[in-house]
Amino acid sequence: MIKNLISLLLLIVSVSLSFKHAWDTSHFRNNPETIKMMADLGINEPAIPIFVFLTIAIGVLLLIPGTFFLGNLLNAISIVVIMAFAIRAGNVKMALIEIPFLAMPLIMIWLKYPFKD
C-alpha cells in the first residue's frame, strides 16, 4: 500500500511538472530568463514546439497504465538530453540539478504504475 502511495505521489508530481514545463516552454517569450537559458543550452527557437509537444506527450503517456513505462523512458531520455546540453554549454551546475529529476522516472519504473493490480 505504501509503495502504491509513493508511486501515486511521484506520478502526480511528474505529470504536473511535465505540463508545467510544457506551458512555460510554450510561453518562453514572456520570460527573458527562459530565453537566456535556452540560448545558453544551444536550443534555437524552431526546436521549441518539438520540446513542447514531447513534454505534453510525456505527461499524457504517464497517465495511461499501458504507456506508463514509455512515458517514463521518454522522460528520462529528455532529462539526459538536457543534462548533455548543459554540460556541452559548460553549465555543470544545471546538469547536477537535473539528477533528482532523472531519478524520479527511474524510481517510478521500479515502483510500477500505482493501483494497477
Side-chain angles (χ1 to χ4, degrees):
M1 182 65 176
I2 297 294
K3 178 184 150 203
N4 285 338
L5 290 175
I6 293 170
S7 182
L8 179 63
L9 177 66
L10 287 174
L11 178 63
I12 291 169
V13 169
S14 189
V15 170
S16 299
L17 283 173
S18 183
F19 290 141
K20 180 195 178 304
H21 287 225
W23 179 264
D24 290 346
T25 304
S26 66
H27 293 89
F28 72 97
R29 288 186 182 97
N30 299 337
N31 191 348
E33 292 174 13
T34 304
I35 295 171
K36 183 185 179 317
M37 181 192 69
M38 287 190 203
D40 290 345
L41 293 177
I43 299 171
N44 54 13
E45 195 170 328
I48 291 173
I50 296 167
F51 283 108
V52 171
F53 174 77
L54 179 65
T55 309
I56 290 171
I58 288 169
V60 171
L61 290 172
L62 288 174
L63 291 172
I64 303 167
T67 59
F68 179 76
F69 175 77
L70 179 62
N72 278 306
L73 184 65
L74 290 174
N75 197 8
I77 290 170
S78 69
I79 293 168
V80 169
V81 168
I82 291 169
M83 291 172 76
F85 282 150
I87 290 170
R88 183 183 68 177
N91 192 343
V92 177
K93 181 181 175 184
M94 179 188 282
L96 293 174
I97 288 171
E98 293 293 323
I99 291 173
F101 298 105
L102 176 59
M104 197 162 49
L106 300 176
I107 291 169
M108 289 172 59
I109 290 170
W110 176 61
L111 291 173
K112 302 203 180 358
Y113 194 83
F115 307 116
K116 187 175 180 182
D117 297 329

